[in-house]
Amino acid sequence: MGERCAWAGSDPLYQAYHDEEWGVPEYDARPLWEKLVLDGFQAGLAWITILRKREAFRLAFDGFDPAVVARYGEADVARLMGDAGIVRSRAKIAAAIAGARVFEDMRERGEDFSAFLWDIAGGKPKVNRWRSMADVPAQTEVSVAMSKALRARGFNFVGPVIVYAFMQATGMVNDHLVSCPQHRALK
């Protein structure tokens, strides 16, 4: 049957994330925005750090409801900066709030965040056939294009490497190794 991708390691939380979430196509706009925000918070840190804090992030950011987060002001920034359960980076918190405002602006103009992203990604998951982790790129032409499009809208912490990790996590690309049972399951 094969072995799961080596990056999942032996941590049960990481293994569950690998087996149940990573690479599963996500089409709902709100969870896509949440994952983009969390990938931005991950910049410079290990993903497991964010994964372990994810529930605290969800509580701190009102369930990642963009309509609520878009209305955050300085008192909310201060509250978040004081929350030891999350990554306390003023720049990343400001980016999350700004991103919520962009998300809401797009929605108010009748533009769907999910359709915007999936159109750039090609409309359906790209199934790669990597044999080793060394084969998996850190970024692609598509992640560069998506990064530019997101930045043009006003999003931050959306560089091409962060965006490629986001694309992997949300199933826009299937980067499970061919030896991994999830590669076949998601194909």
Side-chain angles (χ1 to χ4, degrees):
M1 184 163 172
E3 294 182 21
R4 71 171 52 94
C5 300
W7 62 260
S10 59
D11 184 304
L13 182 64
Y14 225 15
Q15 289 180 348
Y17 175 72
H18 170 276
D19 295 352
E20 298 164 20
E21 290 183 61
W22 194 78
V24 175
E26 178 62 70
Y27 296 97
D28 187 293
R30 201 229 35 94
L32 282 168
W33 179 72
E34 173 182 336
K35 288 179 180 183
L36 186 65
V37 170
L38 290 174
D39 273 317
F41 270 98
Q42 189 237 326
L45 304 169
W47 178 245
I48 192 67
T49 302
I50 302 304
L51 201 53
R52 287 184 180 132
K53 294 177 175 278
R54 183 164 57 172
E55 291 310 314
F57 270 106
R58 286 176 173 158
L59 283 171
F61 281 90
D62 290 292
F64 284 101
D65 180 342
V68 175
V69 177
R71 294 192 305 269
Y72 280 6
E74 275 308 309
D76 296 290
V77 172
R79 171 182 59 82
L80 292 166
M81 287 297 294
D83 189 335
I86 68 167
V87 173
R88 294 178 289 182
S89 161
R90 186 172 294 281
K92 292 174 181 180
I93 290 167
I97 296 167
R101 291 174 181 155
V102 174
F103 181 101
E104 283 300 296
D105 183 56
M106 290 173 71
R107 189 183 58 73
E108 287 169 12
R109 287 178 307 162
E111 191 173 8
D112 181 65
F113 186 65
S114 177
F116 166 73
L117 295 170
W118 277 96
D119 285 350
I120 297 167
K124 63 181 182 181
K126 180 180 189 300
V127 179
N128 289 314
R129 300 197 48 79
W130 310 123
R131 299 206 174 280
S132 79
M133 292 306 297
D135 297 334
V136 181
Q139 65 183 41
T140 63
E141 288 181 21
V142 176
S143 76
V144 170
M146 188 177 289
S147 171
K148 286 180 181 174
L150 286 163
R151 284 182 180 175
R153 295 296 177 108
F155 289 93
N156 293 306
F157 288 95
V158 291
V161 174
I162 289 172
V163 168
Y164 194 67
F166 165 76
M167 292 172 67
Q168 292 171 313
T170 59
M172 292 177 188
V173 293
N174 178 349
D175 272 356
H176 286 281
L177 300 182
V178 292
S179 58
C180 176
Q182 291 306 107
H183 184 274
R184 209 165 10 274
L186 293 171
K187 200 158 75 168

